[in-house]
Amino acid sequence: MHARIFVTLKNGVLDPQGQAIEGSLSSLGFEGVDAVRQGKIFDVKLEETDHETAKEKLAQMCEKLLANTVIENYSIEIVD
């Protein structure tokens, strides 16, 4: 089974990298870009066959390692 985990900063958390990207896009001529936020994507292959069990394991991975839940949100998508 394949899963994709999206980790993004929570609203209200300062995102200096997103601000730098926004400024760079503007200097490259891309007008109308506003409030760029950056994040991380993890593609994970599991030997699990049950979707609910897989989501529980993936959530534990996020809570313990992949996301800093104080400042980041995460979402889990089962790809196949």
Side-chain angles (χ1 to χ4, degrees), residues 18-33 36:
Q19 290 175 335
I21 293 167
E22 182 180 335
S24 295
L25 289 172
S26 178
S27 69
L28 290 170
F30 294 100
E31 300 300 324
V33 177
V36 174

Side-chain angles (χ1 to χ4, degrees), residues 8-68:
T8 56
L9 291 170
K10 291 183 178 182
N11 289 336
V13 175
L14 184 64
D15 185 357
Q17 186 175 359
Q19 290 175 335
I21 293 167
E22 182 180 335
S24 295
L25 289 172
S26 178
S27 69
L28 290 170
F30 294 100
E31 300 300 324
V33 177
D34 190 28
V36 174
R37 306 282 288 173
Q38 62 86 31
K40 301 176 275 191
I41 298 174
F42 297 95
D43 287 322
V44 181
K45 184 176 179 183
L46 299 170
E47 293 181 2
E48 186 60 57
T49 57
D50 179 66
H51 282 209
E52 289 304 313
T53 303
K55 280 191 172 187
E56 288 174 16
K57 287 181 180 180
L58 291 162
Q60 290 175 8
M61 291 176 199
C62 290
E63 294 286 332
K64 292 183 179 184
L65 178 67
L66 300 179
N68 177 349

